[in-house]
Amino acid sequence: MTENNQEMENQQETTHSAEQVETDSITEVEDTVVSEEQEVDEASVKLEELSAELAKMEDNYLRAQAEIVNMRNRFQKEREDLAKYRSQDLAKELLPALDNLERALDIEVTDEHGESLKKGIEMVQDSILNAFKTCGITIIPAKGEIFDPTIHQAVQTMPIEEGQQEEEIIHVLQNGYQLNDRVLRPAMVIVAQ
């Protein structure tokens, strides 16, 4: 019987060893699965962080692109405005000279020498006005027009006479000029009220 007992003990030990090996294997597999699940979770979290960072960078990139387009458009508009109003400063400097020519033409002359001098002044004035017209500078219409404070400057009012409307410009003291849509100088006028 001892041999049987011994054999049984050996079988029990073998079974117990096999069970221990199986338990150890299962524990190792479970540990491996848990470890892999943790790695997958960590990788998933890292992927989400990278995705969020990528989305933020894409947003910054798109904002930078939009800002570049806006700057390009703004610079283009500024260049167009500079080209459109390039003659503004020169015109403002020439306006007093043009006013003096107009005053000289208002003087009455009686002799032939005065007439030829007046004719020369008219030619100079016409040349300046043609150069102004070429650059887009025009005289602001005033006499007979209704007063507009954006382009006219009323320096005096007169009572309304027959045939006149209220706020009608009855006399121009100094011509006004505009460059395209920008007023260089408003017309100084007398208005009927």
Side-chain angles (χ1 to χ4, degrees):
M1 271 224 246
T2 36
E3 267 185 39
N4 270 345
N5 280 343
Q6 182 96 20
E7 220 175 271
M8 261 189 168
E9 276 181 23
N10 280 347
Q11 278 183 352
Q12 283 178 349
E13 273 182 29
T14 305
T15 306
H16 181 61
S17 290
E19 286 176 357
Q20 184 62 35
V21 167
E22 191 175 311
T23 304
D24 287 347
S25 293
I26 290 173
T27 304
E28 279 182 26
V29 168
E30 285 176 347
D31 288 346
T32 304
V33 167
V34 167
S35 174
E36 287 177 358
E37 285 177 353
Q38 287 175 346
E39 287 177 9
V40 167
D41 287 345
E42 289 174 4
S44 176
V45 168
K46 187 72 172 171
L47 181 63
E48 287 176 11
E49 289 174 357
L50 290 174
S51 293
E53 190 175 330
L54 177 63
K56 184 179 177 182
M57 288 181 157
E58 284 178 344
D59 183 57
N60 288 343
Y61 172 75
L62 291 174
R63 288 178 187 270
Q65 286 294 97
E67 182 63 25
I68 289 170
V69 168
N70 288 342
M71 286 174 54
R72 188 177 300 132
N73 291 341
R74 189 169 45 248
F75 291 147
Q76 178 66 27
K77 184 179 181 330
E78 286 175 4
R79 276 193 300 258
E80 288 171 0
D81 284 348
L82 285 173
K84 186 175 181 182
Y85 301 114
R86 71 180 181 275
S87 55
Q88 176 177 333
D89 292 336
L90 178 61
K92 283 184 177 181
E93 294 294 322
L94 288 176
L95 290 179
L98 194 56
D99 292 337
N100 290 335
L101 291 175
E102 287 176 13
R103 285 187 204 98
L105 291 173
D106 287 342
I107 297 174
E108 292 294 323
V109 290
T110 55
D111 62 345
E112 190 177 307
H113 181 66
E115 283 294 327
S116 64
L117 189 59
K118 194 170 184 176
K119 182 82 168 156
I121 292 172
E122 284 177 356
M123 291 170 61
V124 171
Q125 181 189 32
D126 289 342
S127 295
I128 292 173
L129 289 175
N130 284 335
F132 275 12
K133 191 174 186 178
T134 302
C135 294
I137 300 168
T138 57
I139 296 175
I140 295 173
K143 189 163 184 165
E145 300 287 323
I146 300 298
F147 178 75
D148 179 358
T150 60
I151 58 174
H152 303 122
Q153 180 181 356
V155 292
Q156 186 178 353
T157 59
M158 301 279 286
I160 296 176
E161 294 180 3
E162 189 177 319
Q164 294 176 342
Q165 300 176 18
E166 188 171 332
E167 297 291 316
E168 181 180 341
I169 297 171
I170 56 175
H171 187 68
V172 178
L173 298 174
Q174 186 179 54
N175 282 328
Y177 294 88
Q178 64 186 25
L179 172 60
N180 299 315
D181 57 349
R182 186 178 288 179
V183 175
L184 296 175
R185 180 179 75 188
M188 291 176 44
V189 296
I190 298 175
V191 180
Q193 283 191 337

